[in-house]
Amino acid sequence: MKILVIGDSCTDVFVYGDIKRVAPEAPVPVLVSSREESNPGMAGNVVANLEALGAEVDLLTNDNGIRKVRYVDERYNQMVLRVDEHDKCDRYNGVYETVDYDAIIISDYNKGFLTHEDIAAFAERSECPVFLDTKKFLGDWCNNIDFIKINSLEHEKNFEQLPKYPQLYKKLIVTKGKLGCEYQGQMYPTKEVPVRDVSGAGDTFLAGLVYEYVKGNSIEKAIDFAQECTTIVVQKPGVATV
């Protein structure tokens, strides 16, 4: 299985420590850091999960570094602050061959790497299924996308737009957290598990969805598998792989 992932990447950084007091100069907690962990994030996290599942992956992404630094009280695994550094990246300006792949994933965090026109062009040239996860508002530029993964909050933000593009409804896979997932009017429930951290869970869902779809060519089975993958990672601290 060979998959091409296109999109914005970052480095996810977790600074863990103890909070035992409030700062005297302001009503904020004082975190005494004890350790730091980092891993690829956004499109990079999709790649990490695909590789953990056993897929061969090529990544087309930004060069300049975006960092998301999370400060976490380790006793309760509670994030108290997130600082985003270099939150924008340069636009993709090259040409990339999209043949010889079993699937293409466009993981668009809307940081500047891809425009509507870029995404539409990749989808139009593709000879394999194309999956999209985007923070942009949906529109006609999505017409050649095969499946669009979107979370419930993003779906609500798109609600006024979607009636203008009825052709997109059948493509939507709407994730709804512990309630499961909706596709073409059918709900796919998920197993409820103790949640430690939901950071990167959407990336894991997307990776599991595409991996299983390429294996079995059934989007229904792929949704179930993707949710199984997600229930694994949300029980781990930080941004984890399945």
Side-chain angles (χ1 to χ4, degrees):
M1 175 185 312
K2 190 173 182 180
I3 297 172
L4 173 63
V5 176
I6 308 166
D8 327 66
S9 292
C10 74
T11 301
D12 281 316
V13 181
F14 288 81
V15 179
Y16 294 94
D18 289 331
I19 295 176
K20 297 181 179 178
R21 61 191 178 94
V22 174
E25 65 272 21
V28 295
V30 176
L31 177 75
V32 180
S33 62
S34 57
R35 63 187 177 92
E36 180 178 308
E37 296 182 0
S38 63
N39 51 266
M42 302 195 306
N45 188 36
V46 177
V47 171
N49 277 275
L50 285 167
E51 290 177 339
L53 289 167
E56 179 183 349
V57 189
D58 289 335
L59 174 62
L60 184 59
T61 191
N62 49 291
D63 293 325
N64 51 319
I66 297 172
R67 282 166 44 97
K68 297 180 181 179
V69 186
R70 299 167 174 90
Y71 295 86
V72 182
D73 183 349
E74 193 157 28
R75 286 185 300 171
Y76 304 104
N77 195 50
Q78 178 66 50
M79 181 169 63
V80 295
L81 178 67
R82 190 180 107 176
V83 178
D84 289 2
E85 302 172 358
H86 312 295
D87 199 39
K88 293 294 181 182
C89 62
D90 297 332
R91 180 185 176 186
Y92 171 72
N93 62 358
V95 177
Y96 198 85
E97 188 60 65
T98 58
V99 298
D100 298 328
Y101 290 101
D102 296 299
I104 293 175
I105 297 174
I106 300 175
S107 178
D108 171 44
Y109 274 78
N110 201 24
K111 301 298 184 182
F113 186 66
L114 296 170
T115 65
H116 295 143
E117 293 77 15
D118 296 329
I119 296 172
F122 275 116
E124 185 176 1
R125 294 202 310 266
S126 174
E127 299 177 0
C128 62
V130 179
F131 293 76
L132 173 66
D133 184 2
T134 182
K135 305 303 180 187
K136 294 179 173 63
F137 284 105
L138 304 180
D140 284 336
W141 57 276
C142 302
N143 283 347
N144 289 313
I145 301 292
D146 295 287
F147 299 101
I148 302 171
K149 178 262 175 192
I150 188 170
N151 65 38
S152 56
L153 179 59
E154 293 160 351
H155 186 258
E156 289 175 9
K157 289 180 179 179
N158 274 277
F159 186 77
E160 292 183 1
Q161 291 283 102
L162 285 172
K164 303 175 186 177
Y165 312 105
Q167 72 276 17
L168 300 183
Y169 275 103
K170 64 181 181 180
K171 304 172 185 283
L172 296 182
I173 299 172
V174 185
T175 58
K176 298 187 175 185
K178 66 180 182 180
L179 299 178
C181 179
E182 183 177 357
Y183 174 64
Q184 294 191 356
Q186 180 176 342
M187 282 297 300
Y188 294 78
T190 189
K191 180 174 64 175
E192 191 167 348
V193 296
V195 175
R196 294 196 66 185
D197 202 324
V198 298
S199 302
D203 300 326
T204 300
F205 180 95
L206 184 60
L209 180 78
V210 177
Y211 179 83
E212 184 63 23
Y213 183 80
V214 172
K215 280 182 61 180
N217 198 34
S218 167
I219 194 63
E220 292 79 13
K221 290 182 179 179
I223 289 171
D224 287 337
F225 180 75
Q227 294 196 133
E228 288 179 24
C229 294
T230 305
T231 59
I232 293 171
V233 298
V234 298
Q235 296 181 72
K236 302 179 181 182
V239 174
T241 55
V242 62

